[in-house]
Amino acid sequence: MLIPEISLLYCGILSLMYVGLTMNVGRWRGKEKRSLGHDNDPGSPLFRAVRAHGNFMEYVPFLCLLMVLDEMTGRSIAGVHVIGASLVIGRGLNAYGLLSSAKLNKFRLTGALITILLLLALGAILI
């Protein structure tokens, strides 16, 4: 049985990123003294922290699954690293863009584009 060691490395890195986003939500909840929800103001740091956390979770688990499956088909080591590194960079840029500004910015756009391209590429490859 092929163990997808490279994918597991990137899944581990992404899990640490998720922990950071989770802790950031907790930090802002503490500062704003809110145990649940947010004020629906896209400009508030808590709103942006919740969205960065949620947005990460909306894409990363499925992309990790696709990456693992792709590696298990025998993709080259370099190919798996390109996919994994792209996922880490794309999700990092997107989170940074969401956390830094309520306005659409180049970091969010680039991160979103990388994510969509990875979904398209991995979907096509696995078909």
Side-chain angles (χ1 to χ4, degrees):
M1 178 175 162
L2 176 65
I3 297 174
E5 294 174 3
I6 300 166
S7 295
L8 294 178
L9 166 70
Y10 288 103
C11 291
I13 292 167
L14 290 158
S15 72
L16 295 177
M17 291 171 68
Y18 186 67
V19 168
L21 291 169
T22 301
M23 291 173 64
N24 189 49
V25 170
R27 178 175 70 97
W28 282 107
R29 286 198 185 287
K31 281 186 177 187
E32 295 190 11
K33 296 181 178 24
R34 287 183 171 267
S35 63
L36 189 62
H38 50 73
D39 57 8
N40 288 319
D41 172 13
S44 82
L46 176 57
F47 182 93
R48 293 194 324 265
V50 168
R51 280 311 313 136
H53 177 265
N55 192 274
F56 190 92
M57 198 59 193
E58 289 164 5
Y59 289 99
V60 170
F62 186 61
L63 279 161
C64 280
L65 173 63
L66 294 177
M67 183 172 48
V68 166
L69 293 171
D70 182 51
E71 183 176 357
M72 291 176 76
T73 66
R75 162 130 355 255
S76 72
I77 291 172
V80 180
H81 278 295
V82 166
I83 291 167
S86 297
L87 181 53
V88 168
I89 291 166
R91 292 291 79 206
L93 288 171
N94 189 267
Y96 177 78
L98 274 165
L99 293 171
S100 65
S101 172
K103 295 180 180 176
L104 193 57
N105 57 60
K106 64 183 176 185
F107 299 106
R108 285 178 63 191
L109 286 172
T110 304
L113 179 61
I114 290 169
T115 301
I116 296 302
L117 291 174
L118 284 170
L119 283 166
L120 286 169
L122 285 166
I125 288 166
L126 291 171
I127 290 172

